Amino acid sequence: MPLTLTEKILQAHIVKEACADTQFTHGEPIARGSDIAIKIDQTLTQDATGTMTYLQFETIGVPRVKTEVSVSYVDHNTLQTDYKNMDDHRYLQSAAAKYGLYFSRAGNGICHQVHLEHFGKPGKTLLGSDSHTPTGGGIGMIAIGAGGLDVAVAMAGGAFHLAMPRVIGVQLTGKLRKGVSAKDVILEVLRRETVKGGVGSVYEYFGSGVSTLTVPQRATITNMGAELGATCSIFPSDEKTKSFLAAMGRAKDWSKQEADVGAEYDKIVQIDLSKLSALAAKPHSPDSIESVKNLSGKKVTQVVIGSCTNSSLDDLETVAAIVKGKHIAPDVEAGIAPGSRATLMMAEKAGILGTLIAAGFRILESACGPCIGMGFAPNSEGVSLRTFNRNFKGRSGTSDAHVYLVSPETAAASAISGVIAEAETLSYADKGYVHGSRVSMLDGCDERLAAKDIKKIAKDEGMIIPPLDEREAQNVAIVRGPNIKECPSSPPCASSLKLPVLLKTHDNVSTDDIMPAGTKVLPYRSNIPEISKFTFSRLDESFYARAAATAFSGCIVVGGENYGQGSSREHAALGPMYLGVRAVLTKSFARIHKANLINYGIIPLEFTNSSDYDIIQQGDTVELTNIVQALKTGCAFTLTVNGSIISCCNDLSKRNRAILLSGGLASYTRKGGN
């Protein structure tokens, strides 16, 4: 029976003994929603989530990672305002040396772009402790973001468990017009599907329009597919993929990956690329989409180009073409963060970097930086255009800023205009477009950057430290600075709980709202007692004090739709767990955050009837009585509040119920659970 590319890769990685309760027939579609467990070929971590991941890996007791490739990246906490961040880096480097990982040093670039350049392989599975790990889908991988504890288990050889997702086909036809880019493709998908429309789904791109997109363009689309709430997104691996990998000196890593002819999708979204116009996501959500034309003329105070979404050589080339011979407007501050050191070196070799500097752009470090509020914050009430993937309120580091998500083309046109502007209205010579299709500089056919130059730069891996052999690794001592603390244990499962409602939130609460990033908070990512003080601080500055007043003895949080959207940071579960949050009751959860809550023994409850949300108020006391019964049998959870009995659906898999009964994933794993 014809299968989608998603189904083919997942079936090739099924670990049957880890999901014995689900029946599989090779070559037949897997029932949607059924529990599956897959072998993970590759993992990645970044430093903001990596310290906890490796602290947890150490407790598992495996002497060496069991994956084909595992990489520890440093790309988030690079500001180093004091000792804490570099202490984390030294811990990560020593852990990589001891346990058999590659280590990508600070300054080498953003994990997703570097992984695409150096390690990603079509047809493989990748699990990363960062929500934008699906970037790997741009070269035909099943690449999934997860919490650090899930990644630690995968590095130890454990399977990754998930519900078999729906496969949504996105059929692309036509070609993008000059001035319209891949960013506009994913913004159009977000306009149609919303930030919660992709929960439980994989977006698989196909159709004649696919061949007109370069690998960097495809990676932009799969990267920002995370904002749909999707498990991941994927493109076929074709001749464009082959050219990209060959340019990186990795032609042997290529394999053809495509859906079978006649494969059926659960739903099809059709997009004619030739009819797309430039789009922008308005404050404060990635799915608040408006055409740039309708926003034209709005004064801009800041423009930033970069992040793991739009910081490739092709992106920088496009920006340089638009700004060449011009200068950014007097009232605009503009910065560019190349996605990788290799990109920066190629941009210098091709003359792109000089053009950007001449136009007035500040060149920032090859790191996440402004995307996570680590520097380059906008002015108060500023209008900042960013080629990033998220524009949640306050994420930029300025609470009252108005952040718009746009393409590099729109960002460049606006930087020189001083107002939001369409690149289509400007005259510029973009050599990257030939007959209406984008041609990547990485194909080596551009006179400014020869193929030999690309391969020489791509092969320069001095900033990537390879794994030591097992004998050498035994002599490595793990380096732990004073800010690195052990991961606290999850609470044991209780038969019943009587909990005060310490906080009630609105819809679309993000993990930034639960546990902020930024220069003030990120240095404490390896110190849960300290970082927990910032829990829910954006929503209620008194939350920590009120939790402390109860001696962290237990409480419940109530939320609306899509609770926990955004980053995969497990600290948004760890912080609340440390403060005594024993359950979270919502209308619906974002996928990764729900998994993280389960991993740390926090019960995720969902209203059977969403109108019951109105019954519960902050300050009420909720009694949950049938916990063990619900976890053992799968029956509905019931709770009592204000004399009313509220039913909560129990869609937890048998394994997830067992994890909660064990008191979290670490305890479950130590007891022999798979």
Side-chain angles (χ1 to χ4, degrees), residues 265 494 602:
Y265 295 93
I602 299 174

Side-chain angles (χ1 to χ4, degrees), residues 18-84:
C19 46
D21 294 336
T22 303
Q23 297 297 314
F24 304 103
T25 302
H26 185 72
E28 294 290 329
I30 301 171
R32 304 307 192 243
S34 58
D35 298 328
I36 63 171
I38 59 172
K39 176 184 179 293
I40 296 299
D41 300 315
Q42 301 184 354
T43 67
L44 68 79
T45 61
Q46 36 89 340
D47 49 311
T49 58
T51 49
M52 277 297 137
T53 302
Y54 298 111
L55 286 168
Q56 292 155 344
F57 179 81
E58 288 184 86
T59 67
I60 296 173
V62 175
R64 194 171 181 87
V65 296
K66 296 184 177 181
T67 49
E68 295 175 8
V69 171
S70 284
V71 191
S72 174
Y73 292 93
V74 174
D75 61 5
H76 276 59
N77 290 351
T78 59
L79 202 56
Q80 296 172 222
T81 54
D82 62 18
Y83 67 91
K84 299 183 189 70

